[in-house]
Amino acid sequence: MTNTVPGGIDLDAVPVTAPRRRRRSRWVSGTGLAAIIGSTLLLVIAVIGPDVWTEPATARNIAERWATAGPEHLFGTDDIGRDIFARVMVATRLSLLLTAGATAILIGGGLVIGLTAAILPRRARRGLIWVMDILLAFPWLLLVLFFSVIWNVSAVGAMLAIGLAGIPSITRLVYNMASSVSDQDYVRAARVIGVGPLGVMVRHILPNIANPLLVQSAAAASTTLLSFAGLSFLGLGVQPPEYDWGRLLDEGLAHLYTNPMAAIGPGIAVVFAALVFTMIAETVGEQPGQGLRAFAKASRTAALGRRDARRTGGSADRSATTPRSTERTVGVLAEVRDLRVAFPDGDGGMIERVHGVSLRIMPGEIVGIVGESGSGKSLTAMALAGLLERPAVITSKRRVFDGIDLDGRLGASERRRLGVEIGVVFQDPLTSLNPALTIGRQLTEVPRHHLGLGRTAARRRAVDGLEAVGIPDAAGRLRDYPHQFSGGMRQRAMIGMALTGTPRLIVADEPTTALDVTVQRQVLAVLRRAQRATGAGIVFISHDIALVSGFCDRVVVMRDGAIVEELPAARIREDARHPYTKGLIACLPDMRTDRTQPLPVIGVAVDAPDGTAIADDPADGALSPVEVAR
């Protein structure tokens, strides 16, 4: 078969293996079937219970008061001869409604407040979480009693009390999870390509925190049932003539020794409902993203609305959002001059991590940035591509991508161009790909969000992207999640994602790290074919100077946030003049290396471009120039 990148450009053919078997749904497992049967049983009893069992539940028979459990009365009778089993069945509806209402209040309230806190400015966020922490420090029962007094003693008052009292703990959980997810690479990438705060929450954060929330919801539902029982025991829950499982349990406890089933019966109902909730959460929790299908549908509807709105803007707007290569002038693709990147140090000062870097990328050129860990390679490339966000502080004399001034205020059309024309291959695809969304959902985001394609066209583009990087059965693998791909396939899927737009620049941030040499060669071959087919420039970041020199056209060597040397890749061994570059080359053993000798160690002090040496100053921990004899 013939592979093409999106746009119809032919690539090398790749073999296609037979489609693999699809994984069986968790709902057909033992836990899933038990959850389905249990929830169906509860719903059926809640619906038909009052109609079927109301008469024996309310009929008085003084002659059979406090009858023990038997065939006629499975749970016995109460103090006026009413059948306790029938009352338990009738109470199912009210108990489930109260439990669902209280759980919805605490989960919904915690979700809204927690997500709001995650996107607020720093001071407002701290203030809101501080208030929640104060409420969380109060005893839970004390908050319930406080809210019960406010809304009087009733079933609705108890539901509001239990729901509101549980909001602080859920808020803390949601805030912590949302904060951890919002720092992931795929969330930062979504922000850069123009996805707004609401879109980031709905598409990326909510699916990733859904599973813990489902588990917490099941635990909250079980706790809520017991909470109603506790309030009924104190006389603050459901009031006569209404009754729920908690009130029946309270009434049965008084005769536990004469008729144990009077208390055990309602207890069985409570435990059974809690087990059903837990099994539902466990089953859905094993299927990433399934718990928030409603949110996914809402986001798809919103995306369709935005696409239609863009289409109504006329053909001029469409041409602006999808630039054609024939309309671009030949020249510098991307350039930075005197780039400096600094971060707050926590004490009101700034720590500079990139020091005056100047770099230029030409169309179709592969530029390698090499250096040890912490040398500023990734920061330089991310700043060049406009991917750095706060708290990073970026200053430069010039920072341009294909005519777009990245230091200026970017308009909507410019941000769409950046989202379409810059592709990023992150170092660790397992953390860069959203684990809660399918590969297809992630590969179609750019075509639908920026190119305005329909669902079918975007899917076709995603299939082309996966086929272009040699993934067999591309159409079938779109339904898979990242954890179902091997490490090499995830890395190739990241490259395919970069090809779903119309890439002019591809930033590959150590794409071969932790891959074996065979997979490394495959990944590099895919990048090379994509570069030749699209004419895109590539910034290839690595700490392996041999890999960079064999793949790139030009090599930029960085040390301590500064460029120390820039060389043609083909003559890096012959033309290297800087001691640090020579040290990197010397650290690579070859067939002539004496294996009885230790590898050389690169010294602490190295020459900077201005003739000084950059050395670590133990006095203040900062980098300072030290004059040395050349």
Side-chain angles (χ1 to χ4, degrees):
M1 62 177 291
T2 301
N3 287 334
T4 59
V5 298
I9 304 175
D10 292 338
L11 291 181
D12 296 341
V14 295
V16 179
T17 60
R20 60 186 183 83
R21 296 176 59 187
R22 305 301 301 174
R23 189 176 67 170
R24 188 178 63 175
S25 172
R26 288 283 300 179
W27 288 106
V28 299
S29 64
T31 303
L33 291 175
I36 293 174
I37 295 172
S39 58
T40 302
L41 182 59
L42 282 176
L43 290 176
V44 169
I45 294 175
V47 171
I48 70 173
D51 297 328
V52 175
W53 287 286
T54 295
E55 184 176 351
T58 56
R60 300 184 182 186
N61 189 348
I62 303 301
E64 295 184 0
R65 62 190 303 267
W66 291 122
T68 59
E72 186 176 356
H73 304 288
L74 295 180
F75 295 163
T77 61
D78 61 8
D79 55 349
I80 57 176
R82 294 173 296 191
D83 187 277
I84 296 178
F85 175 79
R87 289 172 66 81
V88 170
M89 296 296 104
V90 173
T92 300
R93 178 184 295 180
L94 180 60
S95 299
L96 293 182
L97 286 176
L98 292 175
T99 299
T103 304
I105 290 173
L106 65 91
I107 295 296
L111 191 63
V112 171
I113 299 176
L115 293 179
T116 301
I119 62 176
L120 284 176
R122 182 177 180 182
R123 293 183 181 275
R125 178 175 67 248
R126 287 186 174 182
L128 181 57
I129 294 301
W130 179 70
V131 172
M132 291 295 107
D133 288 342
I134 292 177
L135 294 177
L136 192 60
F138 276 92
W140 175 83
L141 183 58
L142 182 61
L143 287 177
V144 171
L145 294 176
F146 173 75
F147 288 125
S148 296
V149 172
I150 294 178
W151 285 293
N152 298 323
V153 178
S154 64
V156 176
M159 180 183 69
L160 294 174
I162 294 174
L164 293 177
I167 286 179
S169 61
I170 302 299
T171 296
R172 228 347 172 157
L173 175 66
V174 171
Y175 170 73
N176 290 342
M177 293 190 299
S179 298
S180 63
V181 172
S182 62
D183 291 334
Q184 298 297 319
D185 291 335
Y186 55 84
V187 177
R188 288 198 291 266
R191 293 195 186 103
V192 168
I193 67 173
V195 181
L198 182 60
V200 169
M201 287 294 177
V202 171
R203 299 180 190 177
H204 298 282
I205 294 181
L206 278 177
N208 282 285
I209 67 176
N211 293 348
L213 275 179
L214 287 172
V215 176
Q216 186 64 29
S217 298
S222 304
T223 304
T224 300
L225 284 172
L226 297 177
S227 301
F228 278 115
L231 289 181
S232 297
F233 180 80
L234 297 174
L236 300 175
V238 178
Q239 301 299 308
E242 295 180 329
Y243 53 91
D244 65 340
W245 287 338
R247 186 159 171 262
L248 294 177
L249 180 61
D250 178 55
E251 293 174 354
L253 285 176
H255 299 272
L256 181 63
Y257 296 103
T258 58
N259 183 21
M261 290 305 299
I264 295 176
I268 291 175
V270 173
V271 172
F272 177 75
L275 287 176
V276 170
F277 296 150
T278 303
M279 287 186 290
I280 292 174
E282 181 179 350
T283 305
V284 178
E286 291 293 334
Q287 303 187 75
Q290 300 298 313
L292 288 180
R293 286 197 179 274
F295 287 107
K297 291 179 181 178
S299 66
R300 287 196 293 268
T301 302
L304 289 173
R306 285 193 298 270
R307 190 182 76 239
D308 293 340
R310 286 199 299 270
R311 285 178 173 175
T312 59
S315 59
D317 183 64
R318 289 196 298 273
S319 64
T321 59
T322 313
R324 298 178 181 143
S325 58
T326 56
E327 297 173 351
R328 298 188 180 97
T329 58
V330 178
V332 177
L333 177 62
E335 181 183 14
V336 290
R337 294 180 188 172
D338 195 21
L339 174 69
R340 300 180 183 272
V341 181
F343 294 88
D345 60 4
D347 296 326
M350 302 295 292
I351 298 178
E352 191 172 274
R353 296 302 185 189
V354 176
H355 318 290
V357 168
S358 296
L359 183 64
R360 176 179 292 183
I361 312 295
M362 305 300 291
E365 184 183 27
I366 303 179
V367 177
I369 303 180
V370 67
E372 59 190 323
S373 298
S375 60
K377 308 184 300 295
S378 296
L379 286 178
T380 300
M382 294 300 113
L384 175 66
L387 299 180
L388 285 183
E389 295 182 307
R390 294 182 179 180
V393 178
I394 305 172
T395 58
S396 65
K397 293 181 179 178
R398 177 179 173 84
R399 188 161 62 103
V400 177
F401 166 74
D402 200 17
I404 300 176
D405 184 5
L406 299 178
D407 288 326
R409 185 175 181 86
L410 300 180
S413 62
E414 293 175 326
R415 294 189 68 86
R416 283 196 292 270
R417 278 192 58 193
L418 292 177
V420 170
E421 298 182 8
I422 296 180
V424 182
V425 182
F426 291 102
Q427 177 177 356
D428 185 3
L430 189 58
T431 60
S432 304
L433 292 170
N434 193 327
L437 300 181
T438 63
I439 295 294
R441 280 284 307 279
Q442 299 182 66
L443 262 67
T444 56
E445 184 172 19
V446 168
R448 297 191 67 180
H449 188 79
H450 287 297
L451 299 180
L453 299 181
R455 185 175 183 179
T456 302
R459 181 179 175 83
R460 180 65 254 171
R461 203 176 188 90
V463 171
D464 290 343
L466 291 184
E467 289 179 345
V469 296
I471 292 183
D473 187 23
R477 299 311 295 268
L478 289 180
R479 296 188 295 270
D480 287 344
Y481 290 89
H483 72 272
Q484 295 174 270
F485 277 37
S486 66
M489 291 180 68
R490 282 194 295 266
Q491 196 64 275
R492 283 185 282 167
M494 284 291 298
I495 300 174
M497 184 181 298
L499 298 177
T500 56
T502 54
R504 294 272 291 159
L505 176 66
I506 298 176
V507 178
D509 187 1
E510 301 193 30
T512 59
T513 300
L515 300 179
D516 58 69
V517 291
T518 302
V519 179
Q520 282 186 7
R521 183 174 182 179
Q522 294 174 355
V523 170
L524 292 179
V526 168
L527 279 173
R528 175 70 72 177
R529 293 201 303 269
Q531 183 268 336
R532 289 173 178 172
T534 63
I538 296 180
V539 177
F540 188 86
I541 303 170
S542 178
H543 52 73
D544 188 341
I545 195 169
L547 184 68
V548 171
S549 61
F551 178 70
C552 301
D553 302 320
R554 182 160 49 94
V555 178
V556 175
V557 183
M558 292 192 66
R559 172 73 188 273
D560 294 328
I563 295 177
V564 297
E565 194 164 16
E566 188 171 333
L567 301 163
R571 295 188 53 81
I572 188 170
R573 290 182 179 270
E574 295 81 1
D575 295 350
R577 295 292 181 265
H578 198 280
Y580 180 66
T581 307
K582 293 181 178 180
L584 289 176
I585 297 173
C587 289
L588 297 174
D590 55 27
M591 298 300 294
R592 296 170 296 179
T593 301
D594 186 358
R595 290 183 294 176
T596 63
Q597 299 296 322
L599 291 174
V601 178
I602 300 174
V604 174
V606 296
D607 289 346
D610 59 0
T612 63
I614 299 178
D616 291 328
D617 186 354
D620 58 5
L623 295 174
S624 60
V626 181
E627 297 293 339
V628 294
R630 293 186 62 84

